[in-house]
Amino acid sequence: MNAQTAILKKDITPEGGDYEVVRRAIEKISLDYRDQPSLEVLAEEVGETPTGLQKLFTRWAGLSPKAFLQAVTLDHARKLLDSGMPLLEASFEVGMSGPGRLHDLFVTHEAMSPGDYKTRGAGLTIRYGYHISPFGIALIMVTDRGLAGLAFSDAGGERAAFADMSSRWPNANYVEDMAATAPYAARVFDPALWRADQPLRVVMIGTDFQVRVWEALLRIPMGKACTYSSIAARIGAPNASRAVGAAVGANPMSFVVPCHRALGKSGALTGYHWGLTRKRAILGWEAGQVAP
């Protein structure tokens, strides 16, 4: 079936609610970071005991709620900037100095030809499935050449996520096939499986300019961030910050192609296609992976 007729015929929401609890805690932190909410306040907000939230959050992020707050709030980043630390060092690099468990996501990628892109997916079969991830429900899309799409949704938003992704390649043939997508979900979200000798294969379906921007995103290390203007300079288009921002927003492979590591000129998080709370969650999770 094509994008116009594809219908999700059953409830595909995976079971598991850790992210929903953590999401609400992150949302509270994001809104009230200036007040430095205590563990007790956060626990009451999400309906957990302080001990229960501490254990769940730490298991999920690799950081306690307090450490997460220090790592990703804009207030803390601004304090570092005020102290004279350069922007790119201050932006979401908090607590990441010294020897750490740095896990890079090794990705090997190829791009479809401009002609293939212009056909809007005609003749292309895309298999898709929904999987539990640390950041909510992940919609994984793959072709016979590798991972082509990764989107996120909360429970109830699966159809909207599918409509958004399939509209990018409306002429493709879509087949629900969790058996095909499950190995990708396992590779993407388990740092223990990020191995240089067994790279994750991805295929980029976009314009030449978009692909150049996405390739630049892949060169931003985990635990670091980069402004749109810096990305523009890296691809040899220093005056194209706005176009870079648009290409970052159109990235079809969230998390794998790390558009969440792109920041506005001031160091602010700015927009994220799948929500700023989720962007903060991903940055915090990465902080846990690289923390000493």
Side-chain angles (χ1 to χ4, degrees):
M1 64 184 70
N2 60 29
Q4 284 70 35
T5 59
I7 299 175
L8 303 178
K9 297 180 180 179
K10 61 182 181 296
D11 181 8
I12 46 66
T13 304
E15 296 181 356
D18 279 6
Y19 173 70
E20 177 58 24
V21 174
V22 173
R23 183 193 67 79
R24 291 167 58 199
I26 292 171
E27 191 169 52
K28 177 70 172 177
I29 290 171
S30 301
L31 292 173
D32 298 342
Y33 66 86
R34 291 184 181 85
D35 298 331
Q36 298 289 291
S38 66
L39 177 63
E40 289 72 21
V41 169
L42 292 172
E44 182 178 359
E45 177 73 16
V46 301
E48 287 277 348
T49 64
T51 300
L53 178 61
Q54 178 87 355
K55 289 181 178 179
L56 187 156
F57 199 105
T58 302
R59 182 177 72 248
W60 181 89
L63 295 171
S64 68
K66 181 178 180 180
F68 183 95
L69 172 64
Q70 293 173 337
V72 302
T73 60
L74 296 179
D75 182 56
H76 198 66
R78 289 194 184 105
K79 287 178 181 177
L80 292 178
L81 292 172
D82 290 342
S83 71
M85 182 178 289
L87 173 64
L88 295 184
E89 291 182 28
S91 298
F92 303 97
E93 247 186 299
V94 188
M96 298 175 191
S97 59
R101 297 179 297 108
L102 180 59
H103 296 283
D104 285 323
L105 181 57
F106 291 96
V107 174
T108 179
H109 67 276
E110 62 176 304
M112 296 186 68
S113 70
D116 289 334
Y117 173 72
K118 288 179 181 178
T119 67
R120 308 294 300 279
L124 188 66
T125 295
I126 297 179
R127 301 182 183 278
Y128 68 94
Y130 296 83
H131 304 270
I132 281 292
S133 84
F135 315 108
I137 299 167
L139 168 59
I140 306 286
M141 291 183 159
V142 302
T143 72
D144 59 357
R145 294 160 68 176
L147 177 72
L150 197 165
F152 293 109
S153 76
D154 296 319
E158 299 87 358
R159 292 175 186 270
F162 179 83
D164 177 275
M165 293 297 290
S166 60
S167 68
R168 300 162 189 250
W169 314 295
N171 297 325
N173 180 49
Y174 291 87
V175 179
E176 185 175 0
D177 187 352
M178 289 186 65
T181 56
Y184 286 90
R187 288 288 311 281
V188 167
F189 297 112
D190 184 355
L193 300 179
W194 298 354
R195 296 174 53 183
D197 60 334
Q198 295 181 8
L200 179 71
R201 293 177 56 213
V202 305
V203 56
M204 297 179 175
I205 309 174
T207 67
D208 177 66
F209 183 82
Q210 287 175 330
V211 169
R212 286 163 58 201
V213 171
W214 301 339
E215 288 174 335
L217 291 174
L218 282 172
R219 292 192 288 271
I220 304 173
M222 176 182 284
K224 297 186 181 294
C226 197
T227 62
Y228 296 135
S229 57
S230 294
I231 294 171
R234 289 185 183 189
I235 65 170
N239 298 320
S241 295
R242 183 167 295 184
V244 165
V248 169
N251 169 35
M253 282 179 281
S254 298
F255 187 72
V256 171
V257 176
C259 51
H260 55 276
R261 298 176 194 162
L263 306 177
K265 184 177 181 180
S266 67
L269 288 183
T270 66
Y272 184 61
H273 193 75
W274 307 109
L276 281 179
T277 295
R278 186 168 277 110
K279 183 170 184 172
R280 292 184 177 99
I282 294 173
L283 289 168
W285 185 88
E286 290 189 341
Q289 300 303 310
V290 301

